[in-house]
Amino acid sequence: MPKDNPNGGGIGASPKRREDVRFLTGAGNYTDDINVNGQAYVHFLRADVAHATINSIDTSAAAEMPGVVKIFTGADFAEVGGIPCGWGVTDRHGNPQQEPRHPIIADGTIRHVGEIVAAVVADTLEQARDAAEAIELDLSDKPAVVNMAAALAEDATKVHEDLTSNLCYDWVFGNDDDDAVQAAFDSAAHVTTLELVNNRLVANPMEPRVAIGDYSRGTDEYTLHTTSQNPHVIRLLMCAFVLGLPEHKVRVVAPDVGGGFGSKIFHYAEEAFCTHAAKACGRAVKWTSTRSEAFISDAHGRDHVTKIELALDADNNFTALRTNTMANMGAYLSTFSTSVPSYLHGTLMAGNYKTPIVQVNVKTVFTNTVPVDAYRGAGRPEATYQLERVIDKAARELGADPIALRRQNFITEFPYETPVALTYDTGDYVATMDKLEEVADVAGFAARRAESEKNGKLRGFGVNCYIEACGIAPSNIVGMLGARAGLYDAATVRVNATGSISVMVGAHSHGQGHETSFPQVVADMIGIDENMVDIVHGDTGRVPFGMGTYGSRSIAVCGSAMVRATEKIISKAKKIAAHLMEASDADIELKDGQFTVAGTDKSVAWGDVCLTAYVPHNYPLEELEPGLEETAFYDPANFTYPAGAYACEVEVDPDTGKVTIERFAAADDFGNIINPMIVDGQVHGGLGQGIGQALLENAAYDEDGQLLSASYMDYAMPRADDVPFYQVDHSCQTPCTHNPLGVKGCGEAGAIGSPPAVVNAVIDALQSGGKNVTHIDMPLSPSRVWTAMNG
């Protein structure tokens, strides 16, 4: 919805990202660029076994080594809280989830490779590392529990001895009447069953995690610089649950952050440690993760094992869907871990389809592995993969066209209440599929397949539809579902006397382009150049409050708070303008940065009104106080529901099993678009990560709990030649009905919709070549594909 704003691009335009200038020229200010005078450095001694009892830790030799300031063990944190979980789930029997203590440093038992066993603070990082090597550990190894099914066996070794079992919770959602669900399957004309794996992933943002804790004796105040997606939440959790500090005495700053993808949402032990150690050592304490540390300390993603069943009637209408999933929690509960396989996953199992009966069962399991939490999409990719793979398999079993089968079962009337507790406010799945068929040139596929066959390759076409719930919904509703914090957001708009504007937002930008797109919104509302608008974020000392950036919520939630605050600004500015022009404020109009009296040629410029607000000689102070600054909080009425349809074309080499993606098309409905260029970039990035999951990435453990893919030598990140040029379209716009911008969120869609499209395309290629292959688990490496082709 581009607007004709002579002072700037406004909503719907694509100005270049202003933040890229400093990033591309090396002028960014990342946490590792920050150094505090007199700072010390910490090196964490991490466990190299997955499960063991710590009999003793001898730090005496290490403490005498040069430069050592202090050595910490679990005993030093016995009196502080553990890292909290921010979401509680009640199981099918009405019982709360099992929630073990998550210590900052191992409390007598090691539970995963990479867990902190001791921490050495020294004058230099090299001295800290040398001293850590001198620490002597006396351990008694215990059996590692890695496989989820084995972990649930009655005789399994428990990850936490104080729990009753390795089951965190057994959760049922949707239709909980087992007999009614079974009756639907018994009466079905056809049932398709599929067992599949959502492979475990490591997020691998470009910038590893960093934390610098500092303490001022003079003011009794702490400052934590950290690579975080939500500094206010880090402060809240650390103060209220871990260290027990007064919140007004703690400042958390997240400066430029080089990517997150979910892995930097969570409160980590290293952040609490550096904050605590700064006071204990009397010096600032800095930690910078290595890439090797990141693999065994950053929260991992996905790791579900699922059996899914789809029932259809004689006319190929979907009648029932049932899933049973085991979801890996790892050794401890990370900040949002329990919400991902439950309410962020189960609520999306209806997908784009009017299936009347849906039942979702999830068993979450503790294992001796790195904790698992939200990763780009967080539950929605897992749900979409299950659903879109079983629909494709059903189409092949029935001899139906995969696109036609989906079209037949689309939801077409809105609002629509799903059987899994969501209400889709709007959408047009038929239109997105129409657009996909156009953009993907479905009509030309047969000719492209024939050309591939001439070259000895198997060509396949795969399609996928998705819907996601994002822009996380009302605090009272998510609170009832287990969220232990409100999920609103806030913005403060401060107009300076010269008319420029500073906007303090609770959302955090770590690649999303907020510094470009947010000013477009404010500038468009007022009619000024967006270069007059500056965005301030990532600092609890400067921003009133905010819940951070994740779940594609920035523009839908924080952007809406920004709109509400700007509306307050405009309302007050109109009163000032009315006084200046001796008119009623009800008659004042604002357009293109000019206030006018309706029906007259009287006008006053935006800048003049702003100056008057701060130099109030010309309006009555008894009616209007000086200044022009407003704050607004926004709590969304519902999730937003982006949706789309994706198509992938692959070539498979029958001699090697290598899969090459030849074409990829995405048709998305994101509601109103603020900056199309940024939206394209978000989709491109998500598609790349989804393709990485489908073909390359896998965090694999051996039976002893050792991470086999613990570096880029073994963990295959997608490179430029692994992805194609994309055809991306987001012209199918059904605006969200319940936020003032009509936006839906676009940051995760690509990662949600791409994995099943890729896998569906590979299966299609193999079946077209006469191979009786119905499923291959991700990642579809050459060896897996070759093995499947050759029985």
Side-chain angles (χ1 to χ4, degrees):
M1 53 178 207
K3 295 184 179 180
D4 182 20
N5 178 1
N7 296 306
I11 293 175
S14 293
K16 293 181 179 179
R17 290 174 24 131
R18 64 169 75 172
E19 51 269 73
D20 287 352
V21 175
R22 71 174 185 274
F23 296 151
L24 295 172
T25 59
N29 185 38
Y30 296 89
T31 306
D32 195 49
D33 294 323
I34 297 168
N35 293 290
V36 179
N37 185 40
Q39 71 188 14
Y41 297 81
V42 60
H43 176 77
F44 294 109
L45 178 63
R46 297 186 183 274
D48 59 5
V49 296
H51 202 189
T53 299
I54 303 173
N55 299 318
S56 66
I57 302 177
D58 185 352
T59 64
S60 57
E64 297 300 320
M65 293 185 68
V68 172
V69 177
K70 189 173 178 61
I71 298 177
F72 296 82
T73 65
D76 294 292
F77 289 88
E79 301 302 318
V80 305
I83 304 298
C85 178
W87 199 289
V89 174
T90 301
D91 74 7
R92 65 190 308 174
H93 307 295
N95 301 315
Q97 65 194 26
Q98 293 205 88
E99 195 165 343
R101 185 173 185 268
H102 184 177
I104 293 174
I105 297 179
D107 58 359
T109 302
I110 292 168
R111 296 185 175 90
H112 71 84
V113 171
E115 184 169 10
I116 300 172
V117 178
V120 181
V121 178
D123 292 337
T124 70
L125 181 57
E126 291 74 17
Q127 290 170 331
R129 287 173 176 165
D130 289 344
E133 292 182 4
I135 295 175
E136 295 184 6
L137 301 178
D138 180 9
L139 307 178
S140 295
D141 288 350
K142 303 174 73 172
V145 182
V146 178
N147 178 276
M148 286 189 283
L152 293 178
E154 289 187 10
D155 60 348
T157 300
K158 288 192 287 187
V159 177
H160 297 273
E161 286 295 332
D162 55 333
L163 301 186
T164 60
S165 69
N166 290 321
L167 180 69
C168 178
Y169 60 74
D170 182 357
W171 182 78
V172 172
F173 199 61
N175 192 315
D176 60 359
D177 186 336
D178 292 344
D179 292 338
V181 174
Q182 187 58 50
F185 279 90
D186 291 341
S187 62
H190 182 86
V191 174
T192 294
T193 302
L194 181 62
E195 296 184 12
L196 50 80
V197 174
N198 264 287
N199 41 320
R200 181 185 279 235
L201 303 175
V202 181
N204 279 310
M206 186 179 294
E207 178 198 22
R209 289 190 294 119
V210 185
I212 308 170
D214 194 12
Y215 174 73
S216 170
R217 286 193 306 127
T219 61
D220 190 32
E221 291 178 340
Y222 298 79
T223 300
L224 171 68
H225 285 84
T226 182
T227 46
S228 175
Q229 298 176 218
N230 52 357
H232 279 94
V233 173
I234 301 305
R235 183 178 69 167
L236 173 64
L237 296 177
M238 189 166 62
C239 291
F241 299 100
V242 186
L243 301 180
L245 301 173
E247 201 170 353
H248 70 284
K249 290 291 186 179
V250 179
R251 178 187 179 196
V252 177
V253 182
D256 289 330
V257 173
F261 313 120
S263 70
K264 293 176 183 172
I265 299 172
F266 325 121
H267 180 33
Y268 286 98
E270 295 87 355
E271 294 168 320
F273 174 86
C274 288
T275 305
H276 176 82
K279 182 176 182 179
C281 296
R283 297 169 64 177
V285 176
K286 182 173 184 176
W287 169 71
T288 300
S289 173
T290 65
R291 186 62 64 180
S292 296
E293 277 187 291
F295 269 90
I296 55 175
S297 64
D298 290 5
H300 292 176
R302 315 288 192 250
D303 205 352
H304 290 191
V305 176
T306 298
K307 177 181 179 181
I308 183 169
E309 301 166 279
L310 176 65
L312 302 93
D313 65 17
D315 296 320
N316 291 352
N317 297 308
F318 301 163
T319 58
L321 183 78
R322 177 168 57 192
T323 73
N324 288 278
T325 291
M326 288 186 297
N328 204 334
M329 293 286 95
Y332 299 103
L333 298 183
S334 180
T335 305
F336 291 119
S337 57
T338 52
S339 69
V340 175
S342 55
Y343 292 102
L344 298 182
H345 158 255
T347 53
L348 268 296
M349 284 310 307
N352 308 62
Y353 311 103
K354 52 181 185 287
T355 312
I357 295 175
V358 178
Q359 184 184 75
V360 181
N361 175 225
V362 178
K363 295 180 177 66
T364 53
V365 187
F366 291 110
T367 62
N368 292 118
T369 63
V370 172
V372 179
D373 208 317
Y375 171 68
R376 197 170 191 170
R380 289 90 84 195
E382 295 90 322
T384 300
Y385 182 67
Q386 297 167 30
L387 183 59
E388 292 298 313
R389 281 294 296 122
V390 78
I391 290 173
D392 229 60
K393 188 168 185 275
R396 297 187 186 284
E397 291 174 350
L398 293 166
D401 176 78
I403 292 178
L405 182 62
R406 287 173 168 86
R407 284 182 177 275
Q408 176 180 337
N409 287 280
F410 277 157
I411 298 163
T412 56
E413 297 182 2
F414 296 89
Y416 178 82
E417 293 188 17
T418 75
V420 279
L422 297 182
T423 300
Y424 302 165
D425 63 323
T426 186
D428 191 340
Y429 312 144
V430 173
T432 53
M433 183 60 80
D434 289 344
K435 179 57 69 173
L436 177 73
E437 293 198 58
E438 173 192 332
V439 174
D441 185 22
V442 174
F445 173 70
R448 294 190 293 274
R449 169 174 275 176
E451 186 65 25
S452 294
E453 290 173 349
K454 288 181 184 178
N455 297 322
K457 302 291 178 63
L458 305 177
R459 195 176 190 103
F461 178 87
V463 70
N464 159 77
C465 295
Y466 81 89
I467 185 169
E468 62 162 319
C470 60
I472 292 182
S475 296
N476 62 332
I477 293 179
V478 296
M480 289 187 290
L481 298 179
R484 292 168 175 168
L487 292 174
Y488 53 86
D489 223 306
T492 295
V493 177
R494 178 180 298 156
V495 181
N496 301 306
T498 56
S500 63
I501 300 174
S502 296
V503 184
M504 282 67 76
V505 294
H508 186 278
S509 182
H510 42 278
Q512 292 84 357
H514 295 172
E515 293 175 40
T516 301
S517 58
F518 281 15
Q520 288 182 251
V521 173
V522 175
D524 191 89
M525 294 178 69
I526 298 170
I528 58 176
D529 192 315
E530 57 254 31
N531 289 317
M532 294 178 66
V533 182
D534 182 46
I535 301 299
V536 179
H537 65 92
D539 186 344
T540 63
R542 300 179 65 190
V543 177
F545 198 78
M547 296 305 294
T549 294
Y550 45 86
S552 300
R553 68 189 300 274
S554 294
I555 195 65
V557 184
C558 187
S560 294
M562 189 171 62
V563 168
R564 295 297 186 228
T566 305
E567 289 173 342
K568 293 181 181 180
I569 290 287
I570 292 172
S571 177
K572 182 175 179 180
K574 283 184 175 180
K575 291 181 171 62
I576 299 172
H579 182 78
L580 291 175
M581 293 185 285
E582 299 180 334
S584 167
D585 60 283
D587 296 328
I588 301 300
E589 297 176 345
L590 173 61
K591 183 179 181 182
D592 299 339
Q594 292 285 326
F595 294 92
T596 59
V597 180
T600 75
D601 59 358
K602 286 185 177 181
S603 69
V604 62
W606 165 257
D608 293 334
V609 170
C610 298
L611 183 61
T612 302
Y614 287 93
V615 187
H617 300 316
N618 297 314
Y619 70 87
L621 291 175
E622 67 273 11
E623 296 179 15
L624 289 171
E625 63 184 23
L628 202 51
E629 177 176 326
E630 298 288 349
T631 295
F633 287 76
Y634 181 80
D635 205 351
N638 192 358
F639 291 93
T640 68
Y641 298 100
Y646 290 0
C648 177
E649 285 185 36
V650 301
E651 277 192 343
V652 179
D653 186 332
D655 296 327
T656 66
K658 177 175 172 54
V659 176
T660 302
I661 298 180
E662 294 294 323
R663 297 165 64 96
F664 203 108
D668 296 290
D669 179 3
F670 296 133
N672 292 333
I673 305 295
I674 305 301
N675 185 311
M677 179 189 67
I678 288 178
V679 170
D680 284 349
Q682 287 287 305
V683 175
H684 287 184
L687 293 175
Q689 286 183 284
I691 289 169
Q693 178 177 6
L695 297 182
L696 299 162
E697 300 180 50
N698 190 34
Y701 281 90
D702 69 12
E703 61 184 10
D704 295 320
Q706 294 292 336
L707 182 61
L708 300 176
S709 50
S711 75
Y712 289 153
M713 294 291 289
D714 303 294
Y715 189 91
M717 292 286 286
R719 294 176 170 83
D721 61 354
D722 292 313
V723 298
F725 287 99
Y726 308 112
Q727 288 79 46
V728 172
D729 181 274
H730 34 76
S731 61
C732 301
Q733 296 175 12
T734 56
C736 176
T737 61
H738 54 77
N739 67 54
L741 288 168
V743 294
K744 295 185 179 182
C746 65
E748 298 165 287
I752 293 169
S754 51
V758 174
V759 177
N760 289 343
V762 173
I763 299 301
D764 181 61
L766 300 187
Q767 293 200 353
S768 72
K771 310 295 183 181
N772 185 25
V773 178
T774 59
H775 180 70
I776 305 172
D777 276 327
M778 300 184 292
L780 274 65
S781 62
S783 62
R784 288 187 176 186
V785 175
W786 188 92
T787 300
M789 286 192 296
N790 291 279

